Amino acid sequence: MIPAIGSIPSVSTQIANINPTSAAGSSAATGAAGTSFGNMLASAVDALQNVQQTSNAAATGVAAGTGSIGNAMIAASQASLDTQIAVALRNGVVSSISQIMATQF
């Protein structure tokens, strides 16, 4: 049986926690919890980088003969999925900004 990998924070979880709306009486760049959108986005990117580093460490362990190939494959799949989600979100934001910029007032 392949042992489970510990809890790896995923970008999808971090992005799901982003609340772009602002609470009453707070600035437009600050969410209801008081954390700025930029800080939450930076946190999500950091989480993505951590997942990729975990994947690289697992692959290095397999190459050195000290790691489990199952754990390495799971970590690689998680890193790939999180990267795909981040790229899809980025493409959506770029598309939205392009549409807004093309709008004639």
Side-chain angles (χ1 to χ4, degrees), residues 52-99:
Q52 290 174 342
Q53 288 172 349
T54 301
S55 174
N56 288 339
T60 302
V62 169
T66 60
S68 165
I69 193 163
N71 287 344
M73 292 300 294
I74 291 169
S77 295
Q78 181 70 39
S80 175
L81 180 62
D82 285 354
T83 302
Q84 290 174 8
I85 290 170
V87 169
L89 288 170
R90 176 223 168 253
N91 290 344
V93 168
V94 168
S95 175
S96 296
I97 291 173
S98 295
Q99 288 179 358

Side-chain angles (χ1 to χ4, degrees), residues 11-20 33 40:
V11 171
S12 57
T13 303
Q14 293 289 329
I15 297 294
N17 292 330
I18 293 177
N19 183 2
M40 294 191 80

